[in-house]
Amino acid sequence: MRKALSVTAVSSQWSRRHKCRLLGKNPIFSSIASERHNTACDCGQSQLKMMSDSDVTDNGPKDTSPSTIAVGLVEMNEDTSSGDARHKREHWSSQWDYIMSMIGYCVGFGNLWRFPYLCNRNGGGAFVIPFLVFIIIAALPVFYLEASLAQFSGKGAVQTWHFCPLLKGIGIGTVIVVALCQPYFQILLAWPIYYMVKSCSSVLPWTTCGNWWNTDLCVEDISTLKGHSMNSTHILNYTDAAGTNIAELWRNKTLSHTAVEEFYQYHVLNISSGIHEIGSIQWHIVGCLFASYVLIFLCLFRGIKASGKVVYVTALLPYILLVAIFIRTCSLPGAVDGIMYYLKPEFGKLLTGQVWSEACIQVFYSLGPGWGIIMTASSYNKFREPTLRDSIILCTVSEGTSIFAGFVTFAILGVMAERVGVPIFEVVSSGPGLGFVAYPEALSHLPLPQLWSFLFFLMLLTVGLDGQFMFVELLTTTVIDQFPTTLRHRRGWVTGVTCVIAFAAGIIICTQGGPYIMQLIDWYLVALSLFLFCTLECVAAVWFYGIKQLNEDIDMMSGRPLPMLVKVLWGIITPAILVAVFIATISQYDSPTYGKYTYPAEVETIGWMIALIPVVPVIIVMIKSLLKRQGSLQRRLMLSLRPNSQWRPADDSLTTRHTEALVHNRRTFSENLRCIFKTHTQSKR
């Protein structure tokens, strides 16, 4: 107690003259600072007598970690008995653990089956131009910002928002998004497990007709439709029947009639006629879903030190398998044509806004800012890690993987088009249809099809595992950060409970109507939240917290001030781009579809209600933050925009320096704007 009082007195006396300069000069905070300053000055003289000379240096108080620091605009209260007490946070065993974990997270299904489809639809090789532009001016800046804030504070996706309590609901919103995505994303792990099991059959079941799930129109090899095809009971000459040709069949957007498509739609999914028909539970998928959660639990129950080692396998294995599949495919007829089709640019399409909008959306979906995952992973970094270098590496690897996956995908599609005798654009598909229909169809014609199929679905499993590691890690970290005293030594239990709850919620997706529910949630969940959250992150960090203070915080970590380009991007360019893309996306949002199935109008209303779920906590927290403070509305608003008592560096030795800086750095609009374009000199750490 005596130490706390003496440090408070030192802080009050040492910073008094600096605070007096600020009073009256900052139109926003002068009244707040004046009130707290007067309180500190009144008690300063009596407390100064109780401090020892060892607590002071010639330039002010030592960089210690006080229990109470009352200076300027922020009152730092550390109550070691509270639930948010300062605890030593676990760190990655090495920075490579972090790099590999984040590569696993960033490189997901979207890199493998969404980017190639968008590239084909939006000008081929020309699509790479807006794609790279948005990486540099939009996604990378937000990625770097999230990593910096979390690493500086050593806090997860929710607690990081102590730097701007008014918008803490954004952190809660990201957790809600992940909690809702987790059950249906996990299904994308259950399907590869089932396909891996079936790949061990003597005959791949998706290559034959005559099974209980096949229809009368099933064809085992679509290339045989050039003449005729058969299943176990019917022989149909498609050339003679109404003049149906191969191209028309490929244009069919319904649940088509090849053996591989019918296996996926009518056996794996056993899909119903619509979302109104939930149907029965598909227990074979439930069993695979349970197995996937067992894998997640075994890799995560001991924390990041264990998962950080697992990702060396799960993050690197997809690259090995992709290269192997690519080399083997390139030896087949049609592969080169597919690659050339992929690279052929159509620069005219760059004049349309849709191409640029879809490029930005794909970049953000791939790298994953605005989901809270980057903050969670970066909070386990050591304080001095170079966040800018890591961010550049991760963005480069992730989006480079997207481009390479395009080569693999179009090589396979070129082979398929050659066999069938149709143009390549007729066989291009996206989403699960590419992963569970097009790829299996192509791989089934390679020598040793069981081996290549098993390896491909193993690759899909490892790609999905890495992303789900971080999803579950975010949920468990959020709970443990909320109750650190009780739960930080019970991580295994928290992870287990999280997996059980997510598994139970995911059973609804394992029903016959589950794919329709999955598509509906995926269509709407981040329709509003993704770009809204990323925009508010930039605004809160630069304009509310203050770019000068943010620059000093990052300087504490890296020993280098922010480059002017980064400040301009954070403060002006990136938010403007995100707002423009957000408006364009909402104005052009289409109704959800599944194949040819169109959702009823009332389901669309439910979809927009789903889109609002992550946004609601932002509004609630704003209202709550304003109500719990006193004074006029303007004063409450200003206090809510300032960091609270829990915002401080993860390195406790810098707490005093950081707190003093919060007092001295002005945060008016003009001051922030001036600091954006000012070149800061490097300071000593």
Side-chain angles (χ1 to χ4, degrees), residues 503-557:
F503 169 71
I507 292 178
I508 186 66
I509 310 297
C510 299
T511 60
Q512 291 176 286
Y516 299 106
I517 299 174
M518 176 179 173
Q519 178 80 337
L520 180 67
I521 298 175
D522 187 61
W523 197 280
Y524 283 104
L525 183 57
V526 295
L528 299 177
S529 62
L530 180 61
F531 291 108
L532 177 62
F533 288 175
C534 290
T535 302
L536 292 176
E537 284 175 8
C538 295
V539 172
V542 173
W543 300 103
F544 298 160
Y545 184 61
I547 188 60
K548 184 177 181 181
Q549 181 60 52
L550 184 59
N551 178 76
E552 292 187 13
D553 292 349
I554 293 176
D555 195 359
M556 289 182 192
M557 292 192 299

Side-chain angles (χ1 to χ4, degrees), residues 10-265:
V10 175
S11 300
S12 300
Q13 295 295 327
W14 183 64
S15 61
R16 183 181 304 169
R17 67 178 182 274
H18 300 289
K19 286 183 283 186
C20 289
R21 292 174 188 165
L22 290 175
L23 298 178
K25 292 186 179 181
N26 190 329
I28 300 179
F29 303 108
S30 60
S31 61
I32 306 172
S34 177
E35 178 182 336
R36 295 189 176 183
H37 169 67
N38 293 336
T39 303
C41 291
D42 292 340
C43 62
Q45 293 294 335
S46 60
Q47 292 178 345
L48 187 61
K49 297 178 182 179
M50 295 186 290
M51 78 177 174
S52 63
D53 294 337
S54 61
D55 291 325
V56 178
T57 66
D58 293 337
N59 297 319
K62 291 180 179 178
D63 258 353
T64 58
S65 179
S67 298
T68 305
I69 304 173
V71 289
L73 302 179
V74 182
E75 184 173 271
M76 306 288 290
N77 293 316
E78 184 173 332
D79 183 0
T80 56
S81 64
S82 68
D84 198 37
R86 194 69 154 183
H87 294 287
K88 183 175 177 59
R89 193 172 186 83
E90 187 180 11
H91 293 300
W92 299 100
S93 299
S94 71
Q95 193 61 10
W96 278 108
D97 290 5
Y98 166 73
I99 294 291
M100 298 305 296
S101 296
M102 289 306 297
I103 287 176
Y105 165 66
C106 295
V107 178
F109 294 117
N111 301 76
L112 300 180
W113 60 43
R114 179 175 165 82
F115 174 81
Y117 170 76
L118 291 176
C119 197
N120 170 73
R121 193 174 75 175
N122 295 293
F127 182 72
V128 177
I129 296 175
F131 186 73
L132 294 177
V133 168
F134 283 121
I135 291 173
I136 296 172
I137 67 175
L140 175 57
V142 179
F143 192 106
Y144 177 39
L145 176 61
E146 291 189 0
S148 298
L149 291 170
Q151 180 175 304
F152 176 80
S153 62
K155 296 181 182 295
V158 177
Q159 273 67 26
T160 295
W161 282 93
H162 286 313
F163 81 92
C164 185
L166 186 71
L167 297 177
K168 188 178 179 180
I170 293 177
I172 299 173
T174 59
V175 174
I176 291 176
V177 168
V178 171
L180 292 177
C181 285
Q182 171 64 32
Y184 81 81
F185 270 22
Q186 193 78 12
I187 292 293
L188 297 177
L189 274 66
W191 294 344
I193 291 176
Y194 187 70
Y195 271 85
M196 287 171 62
V197 173
K198 292 298 183 179
S199 296
C200 298
S201 305
S202 57
V203 177
L204 295 177
W206 53 84
T207 62
T208 62
C209 295
N211 304 291
W212 65 264
W213 59 82
N214 292 125
T215 66
D216 291 341
L217 297 178
C218 174
V219 292
E220 295 182 354
D221 188 346
I222 197 166
S223 64
T224 62
L225 291 177
K226 293 176 180 178
H228 64 274
S229 60
M230 68 178 65
N231 69 357
S232 58
T233 58
H234 291 76
I235 298 178
L236 296 175
N237 188 319
Y238 283 91
T239 303
D240 295 338
T244 304
N245 58 35
I246 185 65
E248 288 298 324
L249 184 62
W250 273 108
R251 292 189 188 101
N252 181 15
K253 301 299 183 182
T254 61
L255 306 181
S256 300
H257 307 301
T258 63
V260 66
E261 288 171 318
E262 293 199 351
F263 178 81
Y264 173 64
Q265 297 288 359

